[in-house]
Amino acid sequence: MIYVLVDCNNFYASCERVFQPSLNNKPVVVLSNNDGCVVARSNEAKTLGIKMGTPYFKHKELLEKNKVAVFSSNYKLYADMSSRVMNILSSFGYDVEIYSIDEAFFKIEGVFEEKLEKEFIKLRNKILKELGLPVSIGIAPNKILAKLANKEAKKTKLGIFNLCDFRNLDEFLKKFDVEDIWGISRNIGFRLKGLGIRTVLQLKNSDHKLIRKKININVEKIVLELNQKICFDLEAVASKKSIMSSRSFSKPVYKLNELEEALANYVVTACEKLRAQKSLAGALNVYLMTNRFKDGFYFNSINIFFDHSNDTAYMVKKAKLGLEKIFKEDLEYKKCGVLLFNLIDETLLQGLLFFKPNIRRLKLMQILDGLNKVHRNTVFYASQGVQRTWSINFNMKSLEYTTNWNELLVLS
Amino acid sequence: MVRGGFRLGAGRPKGQGKFGETTKAIRVPESKVAEVLNYVNSACYKLPIYTSSVSAGFPSPAEDYVEDRLDIGQHLVKNPTATFFVKVAGDSMIKASINDGDILVVDRSLEAKHGSVVIAVVENDLTVKRLFNKNQRILLMPENDRYDPIVIDREDTLKIWGVVTNVIHKL
């Protein structure tokens, strides 16, 4: 069995670059809702030391000094670009699991052959040409290793790295810290270090039964996967960035009401995961597809935005609305699913939950105005040109180039 | 112990059934089942396909297509995943009937050829021009005498963003 992880490099920042080529090779940063924290950075911004998740104002001076292009999140744009990426991945020809807004796992039966790597290089080139988005590809015998391979791929020129039949896996694993592994949080990393396990190689060589006892069964599975067993099939862990829930149907489904029922279940599952990780979602993506091996393959998805919530009933309603829009009669559906994204921690919204968006903005404006009185022209931001003063419509969002007729890219 | 998964050599060998080759299950309209079974069993190799129902064994000359109403989107956009819309400012392409305010349908999956109207990246800006690519000379040509062509010195400096397939002009 072969697992392949395809993910977009610095997704939000890369999306902005597609429509503003002047940002290529420059430091770019994208901020979360309310321009609170940094949620995406281009490689150049990473080099400057700008860390993920830090509040915007902490980096103010650094950003200004280095003329970093700063954007407010343009979720409609990112969600649309994501749909396009997933469309290309879904019609590639292998079983695919959309994992988050910019990542997907492929599951391929059989043994690794050179031609597979060539096929994936072609896929990468296709996405780069058709969408302008660079992706990285990690190939390995299981998901955990595929994630590591993907990390390594980002350092290569071709953007692809294969761990199947890898000559010296141990040498490779030595390079990574346990926290580099998907599914190992800082907390668990700390506990592992307490057991003397620091590198991924050390984790691989540890006694998995002891790990199960001292940490948890999930980390035990990680140890097993590092030893080339397969424990995580597609549809395993939720990511902090987004939550997926879907399933392939064992028998083809034709009717809307059956799809709605299945979808409702997936939304329920996703909301449970959402509440378990204490997040709120601000958008969801519904997708469905027919069997890719049959003629007339159909894949479609739709994004729906709403005020942040973790209310299952509310999201089931929204998901159903979305499904109605992309459903087509007389098709043999093989799979449908829901992806919750635009997640924020629920503590961030406590207190603001009951405020209407414009009041929230007003409060923010007041704070910013106060700041501006002390430090003038502090930050350089780049959307629709350079604006050096705070304007009433404080918004560094780029245009909704692909979802709004009034916000098309203008060129001459 | 690894359970499940693919094992080489497992399962019934292919080609053991009555047809002597791998078979595929397909869906057939109920009214056609007898006809299809007949064909399969008598091993003919050509089967006509009718888009309308056949009465008295005679295809309808009118061939009713009670299909979807004309969809302008489908007509203009062949590859939705790779298609984007941009708006034109200025008159640099006026002789190509591309005017200020027009919307261009841009397909990024197409190959730009000599003569294609393309969106190209020039000095970090996007611009619409006609591609001249012949006899080792590469130029981005405006379609207005008041503008100069842009010379591209090498093949690898040419950055094509997409190929324009249609212009939408509002009267």
Side-chain angles (χ1 to χ4, degrees), chain B residues 57-128:
Chain B
F58 221 87
S60 155
E63 200 106 346
D64 266 29
Y65 278 81
V66 185
E67 290 189 1
D68 309 310
R69 187 167 298 171
L70 292 177
D71 176 350
I72 187 75
Q74 266 189 354
H75 176 74
L76 290 177
V77 179
K78 299 304 174 197
N79 185 353
T81 308
T83 300
F84 296 87
F85 301 107
V86 301
K87 198 168 196 175
V88 178
D91 58 358
S92 68
M93 293 294 282
I94 212 153
K95 292 210 287 194
S97 306
I98 295 175
N99 296 282
D100 182 87
D102 287 354
I103 292 176
L104 304 177
V105 181
V106 185
D107 189 335
R108 289 185 62 128
S109 66
L110 300 177
E111 286 310 315
K113 297 188 297 239
H114 171 76
S116 303
V117 174
V118 300
I119 307 292
V121 183
V122 172
E123 282 169 18
N124 285 328
D125 268 326
L126 291 171
T127 181
V128 53

Side-chain angles (χ1 to χ4, degrees), chain A residues 8-61:
Chain A
C8 302
N9 300 345
N10 312 320
F11 184 55
Y12 295 169
S14 296
C15 284
E16 299 291 352
R17 282 178 165 170
V18 174
F19 300 93
Q20 284 190 54
S22 58
L23 298 172
N24 287 332
N25 304 313
K26 301 259 166 50
V28 177
V29 143
V30 180
L31 306 177
S32 65
N33 288 28
N34 309 320
D35 298 335
C37 319
V38 173
V39 289
R41 311 149 294 163
S42 70
N43 288 341
E44 296 77 10
K46 287 181 189 173
T47 316
L48 289 174
I50 299 166
K51 296 239 186 302
M52 190 71 110
T54 48
Y56 172 35
F57 288 105
K58 251 195 164 174
H59 281 307
K60 213 174 47 175
E61 273 171 47

